[in-house]
Amino acid sequence: MSQHKTWGGRFSGETDNRVEAFTESISFDRRLYRHDILASQAHARMLAEVGLLVQEETDQIVAALGDIAGRIERGEFEYSIQLEDIHTHVERALIDQLGDVGRKLHTGRSRNDQIVTDVKLWTRDALDDITGKLLDLQNALVDMADRSRDVILPGYTHLQRAQPVLAAHYLLAYVEKTQRDRDRLSDTRRRINVLPLGAAALAGTSLPINRDSVARQLGFDSVAANSLDVSSDRDFLIEFVFDLSLIALHLAGWAEEWILWSTTEFNFLELPDAFCTGSSIMPHKKNPDVLELIRGKSARVVGDLQRLLVLIKGLPLAYNRDLQEDKEALFDAVDTVSLSLELAAGLIRTTKFRRDVIAARLEDGYLDATTFMEFLVKEGVPLRSAHEAVGKLVKECEERQCRLADLPKESFEAIRAGLAAKVHQVLGVKNALAAFQSYGSTAPAEVERQMAFWRERLERR
Ligand code: ARG
């Protein structure tokens, strides 16, 4: 009865159906069908090149695999847990169609090198897709920076008002983070793009296969050098999910910021209706659910990473069935980050700064205090003395409930004679902002330079 299984030969009893349900992977690895078929077509072409198949057989196999892909895409393909996984389904369908010719496809390979090849091909596509979405996010950020050139924001540390920053500078900070996310992905891609197929079960094969041909056909840069290593290797996948985790965490931090900024208390942002939802009981509510879920779903991705790390703990060489458990975590992390990125870009494209609200409160919180201190340093006051003097002025402001610029002349003259006449060049948030000059700072000219840099950089993708 186990005869319909590809490995049925050495079995005489039937498989317990709980075992079939427990060991199947078709319910989730069917997502790999396209890559499984591409890899099989490349393998079949190679088998003809080395004389293990005749060309006519390869042609039949390649065509029949194309038919099977079409049936799967049209939803005309039947799945059953008795056939375990995607590899067995495709091979069974091929044998049903071609008989003995179909029975030759699995020559010189194993499902162990086949699955990791499929997963690498799938992951490579997913990685390229995520990279495109990161680029789109960067463009959305640069566009918003462009639209908000005139906006000055309070910059925070410890979520306390610290120093003024241009909104464009704030947005470009996320462009930088996103660029590192992209760089990490392209580095990971190099390790993905090494062909596993040909490792066979674990030791390679005694048949005269040509792995370089398969690598070339499938666009791999090189061929894995050790069959034991590669059939057990999931490092590339864990690394990719780590990259995704960091993307998810970058998005979560940004989402948290925008959730705060859209509260009545901050009121810096006007979120678009299309990305908000209401309350079933409170008629006035407009909730930032998308941002909250971008923040919340980052937990899934970090969980997926944890799951994969624990999965490989203590696994001996080479293939172990445990590895089948890698795919759902991978798919979940990709799906989650992919949607989060799309929605983040959508939100950034349609959200507006509430310029009036931001400007009305910009003079609160002594955003000019540090630049004023630096002005004193330029006037020859030692930094520590300047720090203390400005600290005292702030205390005086707290008592008088005023801004630094509103203090009486005597307060400045007490620090150094002649100062009162000059302070008005540097006090006030606009003056403070204009005073910045270091590389990488929020100095308007620096930010303009960075904007131009990113425009040009992102053109090149
Ligand atoms: N479904 C398996 C996986 O995802 C494919 C490889 C199975 N190999 C085996 N010898 N049972 O890892």
Side-chain angles (χ1 to χ4, degrees), residues 248-249 252 293-305 332 336:
L249 294 175
L293 282 170
I294 288 175
R295 183 179 60 186
K297 282 175 190 280
S298 66
R300 299 174 71 114
V301 186
V302 175
D304 293 327
L305 175 63
D332 183 65
T336 304

Side-chain angles (χ1 to χ4, degrees), residues 25 29 85 87 111-112 115 319 321 323-324 327:
S25 55
D29 70 13
D85 54 27
H87 323 300
R111 280 185 297 164
N112 299 351
I115 184 62
Y319 178 81
R321 192 64 178 271
L323 295 175
Q324 176 168 299
K327 281 168 278 298

Side-chain angles (χ1 to χ4, degrees), residues 7 23-26 28-29 32 84-87 110-116 119 234 319-327:
W7 40 259
T23 58
E24 67 87 23
S25 55
I26 189 61
F28 49 88
D29 70 13
L32 300 171
E84 243 179 86
D85 54 27
I86 187 64
H87 323 300
S110 145
R111 280 185 297 164
N112 299 351
D113 57 346
Q114 195 181 352
I115 184 62
V116 63
V119 171
R234 296 296 181 277
Y319 178 81
N320 296 279
R321 192 64 178 271
D322 311 49
L323 295 175
Q324 176 168 299
E325 291 282 315
D326 60 359
K327 281 168 278 298

Side-chain angles (χ1 to χ4, degrees), residues 72 92 95 155 177 222 244 250 252 257 264 277 297 330 363 396 410 425 429:
I72 294 176
R92 179 88 266 160
I95 294 168
K177 287 183 198 300
S222 61
L244 294 175
H250 286 156
E257 208 156 65
T264 307
T277 56
K297 282 175 190 280
L330 170 68
E363 297 296 338
E396 199 182 324
E410 310 78 74
Q425 309 157 23
V429 168

Side-chain angles (χ1 to χ4, degrees), residues 64-249:
L65 286 169
D67 284 356
I68 293 166
R71 268 159 55 203
I72 294 176
E73 260 143 36
R74 291 190 300 276
E76 294 163 12
F77 194 83
E78 221 177 281
Y79 297 101
S80 98
I81 62 166
Q82 275 81 38
L83 293 178
E84 243 179 86
D85 54 27
I86 187 64
H87 323 300
T88 312
H89 275 77
V90 172
E91 192 182 347
R92 179 88 266 160
L94 188 74
I95 294 168
D96 288 348
Q97 205 166 320
L98 300 181
D100 273 350
V101 174
R103 301 175 80 90
K104 293 184 179 184
L105 171 66
H106 210 53
T107 304
R109 74 174 188 188
S110 145
R111 280 185 297 164
N112 299 351
D113 57 346
Q114 195 181 352
I115 184 62
V116 63
T117 303
D118 294 1
V119 171
K120 276 192 164 184
L121 289 170
W122 188 92
T123 304
R124 193 175 69 185
D125 280 353
L127 185 150
D128 291 344
D129 186 63
I130 297 278
T131 301
K133 293 197 159 115
L134 288 168
L135 173 67
D136 189 52
L137 177 71
Q138 286 179 308
N139 275 314
L141 287 161
V142 172
D143 288 344
M144 187 174 190
D146 210 13
R147 287 199 301 281
S148 323
R149 276 190 141 83
D150 58 314
V151 179
I152 302 175
L153 292 172
Y156 296 87
T157 64
H158 314 268
L159 207 53
Q160 304 285 328
R161 288 196 166 205
Q163 291 188 276
V165 292
L166 285 172
H169 192 55
Y170 161 79
L171 291 161
L172 290 183
Y174 285 103
V175 176
E176 295 279 346
K177 287 183 198 300
T178 308
Q179 186 59 39
R180 287 198 297 278
D181 292 334
R182 286 179 56 189
D183 292 346
R184 253 187 300 277
L185 287 179
S186 71
D187 195 46
T188 299
R189 198 182 193 283
R190 293 191 297 121
R191 282 176 288 280
I192 292 174
N193 218 24
V194 178
L195 174 77
L197 204 68
L202 75 162
T205 169
S206 59
L207 296 167
I209 60 170
N210 179 356
R211 300 180 66 201
D212 289 322
S213 161
V214 178
R216 220 175 307 115
Q217 294 183 62
L218 296 175
F220 284 99
D221 296 325
S222 61
V223 171
N226 183 302
S227 61
L228 280 171
D229 171 42
V230 72
S231 53
S232 65
D233 172 32
R234 296 296 181 277
D235 297 357
F236 69 93
L237 190 157
I238 295 177
E239 194 179 328
F240 179 47
V241 175
F242 169 78
D243 299 345
L244 294 175
S245 301
L246 220 41
I247 295 171
L249 294 175

Side-chain angles (χ1 to χ4, degrees), residues 339-357:
L339 273 177
S340 298
L341 282 170
E342 253 179 62
L343 287 162
L347 263 163
I348 290 165
R349 289 212 159 85
T350 46
T351 296
K352 292 190 192 110
F353 282 115
R354 290 191 197 275
R355 290 171 159 74
D356 47 337
V357 178

